[in-house]
Amino acid sequence: MAVKLLSRYPWVSSPFVVSAPMRVMSGPALAVAVSRASGLGFIGPGVKTQDTTDDLEKASSLIREARASSTAFSTIPVTKSVLPIGLGFQLWADDIDVALAAVEKYKPCAAWLYAPRQGPKDFDNWSSKIRRASPETQIWIQIGTLKEAKQLLLKSEKPDVIVVQGAESGGHGRAKDGMGLMTLFPEISDAMAGSQIPLFAAGGIADGRGVAAALCLGASGVAMGTRFLAASEARISRGYQNEVVRASDGAVSTTRTLLYNHLRGTFGWPEEYSPRTIINKSFVDKQEGKSFEELKKLYDEASKAGDSGWGPEGRLATYAGASVGLIHNVQNAEDIVRNVQADALERIQMWLPNKN
């Protein structure tokens, strides 16, 4: 299965490392940098679906520049028309018609689908229409429960790849029925046995140790989000990025809460989902009984304070996963991908018996 998977993405090296499509923060610079480094980068959803068209145009330009100035993407056959990056959609919020127009025009190699309002029915609808618009675009679907995995097996439009997200993840994960990746992944893998659908592991993975562990669980590759928040190419404020590097002990310093969504004016997420964020004064004050109206006023003031709006004494949303304690510096995406791949391979090699 691994050989077949890599043949679909000929620029990717093993182990297969993916940068997850984080909303807004996973822009074209990050996605192209990850793919150029022998991973697979995804552009995340924009504030509005139309933003993805602009991002794909920028990504196309960056890819053309990379091809003209280096050997980047030279392993891609000239007959292959897809872009060597993926594109993510939040199904509950994105406009399918605008999304399809972008996919048909730019042909990203993969479309990552997540957070449907009507469950498998939405996945089927989006999958079939994307495949008609761009037959070479692979369908990636993110899930977080065994129930979702079993539902996908029953659908007519089965995905090309399934991303299994553990409860350690940042951003919007399962609100009430999430499970740690170490238990969740093997159970889903057992249920999917015989399906020939590659499974990728996500949630709490930030270095080569996590990648090696995921491969031992049976993953075909890994998706990392939080680690790439600390990439120099991430579309992120410096104050936010500094907080991702500073924070540690994710079990204590992060929590799942809808508070920051609401303070930012974001409503409408399906009830199954809730985001993980680094705790700061907004959450602490809420726990101590401060009214939402007062919290909102303070949040809006903090949003005008620049980088000081983040941090333990800050108030701004800092979505991140429980792996924050494993992230100690900002690096460029190429170094992150190559270091993680090399570390994982070294650790796996250590486990192999010495035949000498």
Side-chain angles (χ1 to χ4, degrees):
M1 188 183 299
V3 173
K4 182 179 179 182
L5 182 67
L6 288 172
S7 70
R8 296 174 182 167
Y9 309 95
W11 64 92
V12 174
S13 296
S14 184
F16 201 133
V17 174
V18 172
S19 62
M22 298 174 288
R23 185 175 184 267
V24 177
M25 292 174 284
S26 294
L30 178 59
V32 173
V34 170
S35 289
R36 186 171 180 173
S38 75
L40 173 55
F42 276 83
I43 292 174
V47 174
K48 56 185 184 297
T49 312
Q50 182 60 45
D51 294 341
T52 61
T53 301
D54 299 333
D55 281 345
L56 285 168
E57 179 60 39
K58 177 61 176 177
S60 298
S61 176
L62 291 172
I63 291 166
R64 286 194 298 271
E65 292 173 10
R67 283 173 164 156
S69 62
S70 69
T71 59
F73 307 120
S74 60
T75 56
I76 303 175
V78 293
T79 56
K80 203 169 183 66
S81 61
V82 296
L83 289 179
I85 56 166
L87 183 62
F89 295 108
Q90 292 175 352
L91 304 198
W92 72 272
D94 276 313
D95 184 313
I96 190 169
D97 294 324
V98 175
L100 289 172
V103 169
E104 183 173 21
K105 179 178 180 179
Y106 293 98
K107 295 179 172 52
C109 67
W112 180 311
L113 309 181
Y114 178 53
R117 188 171 296 285
Q118 300 183 66
K121 179 180 177 181
D122 283 351
F123 282 141
D124 263 2
N125 185 36
W126 276 72
S127 296
S128 63
K129 290 183 177 179
I130 288 173
R131 283 170 169 152
R132 286 199 296 271
S134 177
E136 289 189 82
T137 298
Q138 300 280 292
I139 301 297
W140 292 45
I141 289 181
Q142 178 185 321
I143 61 173
T145 64
L146 178 63
K147 178 182 178 180
E148 291 174 292
K150 291 180 176 179
Q151 288 174 335
L152 288 178
L153 287 176
L154 299 176
K155 304 308 292 182
S156 58
E157 294 286 341
K158 293 180 175 57
D160 298 294
V161 172
I162 293 175
V163 181
V164 179
Q165 184 194 59
E168 305 92 335
S169 65
H172 289 73
R174 303 296 298 187
K176 298 177 181 178
D177 56 0
M179 178 59 67
L181 190 65
M182 188 63 70
T183 299
L184 177 66
F185 192 95
E187 190 168 9
I188 288 180
S189 180
D190 289 346
M192 302 294 295
S195 70
Q196 297 301 305
I197 300 174
L199 303 180
F200 276 60
I205 301 170
D207 58 22
R209 294 172 293 184
V211 173
L215 296 179
C216 287
L217 291 176
S220 295
V222 303
M224 299 192 299
T226 302
R227 181 63 190 93
F228 284 107
L229 289 176
S232 56
E233 298 90 347
R235 195 158 52 186
I236 185 175
S237 299
R238 181 52 59 92
Y240 191 143
Q241 198 168 60
N242 288 343
E243 182 63 356
V244 171
V245 173
R246 181 207 64 80
S248 61
D249 195 0
V252 174
S253 64
T254 72
T255 190
R256 288 206 181 276
T257 176
L258 289 169
L259 172 65
Y260 294 92
N261 276 16
H262 297 164
L263 290 172
R264 296 173 65 244
T266 300
F267 296 88
W269 268 89
E271 62 181 4
E272 296 93 341
Y273 303 97
S274 180
R276 182 179 296 278
T277 181
I278 298 174
I279 292 170
N280 59 22
K281 288 291 288 181
S282 290
F283 184 79
V284 172
D285 285 352
K286 177 181 182 293
Q287 296 298 97
E288 293 177 353
K290 190 162 287 189
S291 70
F292 179 82
E293 290 72 22
E294 189 169 359
L295 290 173
K296 174 63 174 169
K297 178 182 177 181
L298 292 169
Y299 188 94
D300 291 345
E301 291 173 358
S303 67
K304 303 173 184 177
D307 289 337
S308 64
W310 289 274
E313 298 302 311
R315 293 187 171 275
L316 300 183
T318 317
Y319 302 116
S323 64
V324 287
L326 303 175
I327 300 168
H328 308 298
N329 56 11
V330 175
Q331 295 179 288
N332 63 56
E334 179 179 1
D335 287 342
I336 292 173
V337 173
R338 298 198 186 283
N339 290 345
V340 164
Q341 288 178 329
D343 186 23
L345 289 173
E346 181 179 350
R347 292 176 184 279
I348 292 170
Q349 192 66 38
M350 289 169 55
W351 302 331
L352 298 176
N354 190 338
K355 296 182 179 180
N356 295 332

